[in-house]
Amino acid sequence: MSNVMKSDEKKLINQLFWRSFALEGSFNYEKMQALGFAWAMFPAIKLYCKTPQEQVEALKRHTAFFNITPNICTFSLGMAASMEKEYAEKKDMDPSTINAVKVSLMGPLSGIGDSFFWGTFRVIAAGVGISLAQQGSILGPILFLLLFNVPHLIIRYYCTIWGYQLGSKFIQTSYENGLIQHMTKLATVIGLTTVGAMIATMVTFNVGFTAQIGETTLVLQEVFDQIVPKILPLLLTLGAFGAIRKGVKVNTVILAIFAFGLIGTLIGLL
């Protein structure tokens, strides 16, 4: 793509930028920012997907699990929009590549975004603002908002442009050297590894049942941990995933887990 963008592309960049602020408007623990991302992407979908069926397929692609530092989410939006454009022009492109690249960007970009915005820039802006507020100056909260948000908005806007411009070049180069196929496989491995780590760290399932056998106290949870550490959270996750694949609604699964946890706690099993 030429560095000089067309008028419709400039309009699209602005739409992606402004819509990105609703990224977490429909945040949920099933797909996190996916609905907000799909809504932000809709101008690109309308522009490049000409038939209703193509638009439906694109929306399904962009309602897959997604979570990133909101301040730099526009880089992923811009790149995804550019890749949708490439797919509309080259139907031999595998559309799953679009989501694979999105997923592969979540971790690296979040690492940069969290460290820069939340771990560094917010702390500096808050330090300046608090020092002035303690002196009774109204400039305290004003400077805090300005010092944090002015650079944030500038970076957020230009990330949209960089992502959109890089996307086209990335696709062209990647197809020429065969990198796309390798990246799709790598993104799948990264995604599965991330899910596995999330199960071990975010899913809690401990059995509180104990039994006295002679002078020995049998702690059932220790038995499970000796077999395979974190095996119960894994089995719970696989059970929920299997139920969803069989057509059970997500809300039903959530209510079933809630009821199981409540009853299990009341009877002393959990």
Side-chain angles (χ1 to χ4, degrees), residues 4-22:
V4 179
M5 291 188 293
K6 301 176 182 177
S7 60
D8 59 341
E9 291 176 328
K10 291 180 179 179
K11 180 180 178 182
L12 176 61
I13 292 294
N14 291 331
Q15 289 175 323
L16 294 175
F17 170 73
W18 289 113
R19 281 179 169 242
S20 72
F21 291 97

Side-chain angles (χ1 to χ4, degrees), residues 19-41 59 61-77 99 102-103 105-107 109-110 114 118 156 198:
R19 281 179 169 242
S20 72
F21 291 97
L23 182 70
E24 296 190 293
S26 296
F27 186 92
N28 60 80
Y29 286 102
E30 180 188 359
K31 296 186 177 181
M32 296 198 172
Q33 300 168 342
L35 292 177
F37 191 95
W39 187 82
M41 274 292 297
L59 282 172
R61 280 195 293 275
H62 295 296
T63 50
F65 177 89
F66 188 76
N67 191 40
I68 198 171
T69 305
N71 309 70
I72 53 174
C73 67
T74 48
F75 187 90
S76 297
L77 280 168
N99 197 53
K102 271 174 52 186
V103 170
L105 288 174
M106 289 193 308
L109 288 180
S110 293
D114 288 350
W118 303 134
R156 192 179 188 119
M198 289 174 65

Side-chain angles (χ1 to χ4, degrees), residues 151-189:
H152 155 227
L153 294 175
I154 293 173
I155 293 172
R156 192 179 188 119
Y157 181 76
Y158 278 98
C159 274
T160 322
I161 299 174
W162 296 331
Y164 189 83
Q165 292 181 335
L166 179 61
S168 177
K169 297 176 184 177
F170 171 81
I171 290 296
Q172 182 179 356
T173 304
S174 298
Y175 264 101
E176 289 174 355
N177 58 24
L179 181 62
I180 280 292
Q181 291 81 2
H182 296 296
M183 277 207 65
T184 303
K185 292 180 180 178
L186 180 61
T188 302
V189 173

Side-chain angles (χ1 to χ4, degrees), residues 39-163:
W39 187 82
M41 274 292 297
F42 196 62
I45 293 172
K46 286 180 63 178
L47 180 63
Y48 299 127
C49 302
K50 301 304 181 183
T51 67
Q53 182 60 33
E54 289 177 344
Q55 292 179 5
V56 169
E57 292 173 358
L59 282 172
K60 288 181 178 178
R61 280 195 293 275
H62 295 296
T63 50
F65 177 89
F66 188 76
N67 191 40
I68 198 171
T69 305
N71 309 70
I72 53 174
C73 67
T74 48
F75 187 90
S76 297
L77 280 168
M79 178 165 280
S82 181
M83 294 178 73
E84 288 289 353
K85 178 176 183 291
E86 291 293 319
Y87 177 56
E89 296 173 351
K90 303 174 183 177
K91 289 300 182 182
D92 57 336
M93 172 182 167
D94 184 0
S96 65
T97 302
I98 301 172
N99 197 53
V101 172
K102 271 174 52 186
V103 170
S104 66
L105 288 174
M106 289 193 308
L109 288 180
S110 293
I112 296 171
D114 288 350
S115 299
F116 182 75
F117 286 101
W118 303 134
T120 304
F121 214 67
R122 182 179 60 168
V123 174
I124 294 173
V128 173
I130 290 171
S131 64
L132 289 172
Q134 286 178 329
Q135 300 173 17
S137 174
I138 189 62
L139 289 176
I142 294 174
L143 277 179
F144 167 71
L145 293 173
L146 290 176
L147 289 175
F148 181 80
N149 283 296
V150 170
H152 155 227
L153 294 175
I154 293 173
I155 293 172
R156 192 179 188 119
Y157 181 76
Y158 278 98
C159 274
T160 322
I161 299 174
W162 296 331

Side-chain angles (χ1 to χ4, degrees), residues 235-250 252-254 256-257:
L235 293 175
L236 178 63
T237 303
L238 291 176
F241 178 68
I244 293 171
R245 290 197 63 181
K246 289 182 178 180
V248 180
K249 294 182 178 179
V250 173
T252 303
V253 174
I254 293 173
I257 293 174

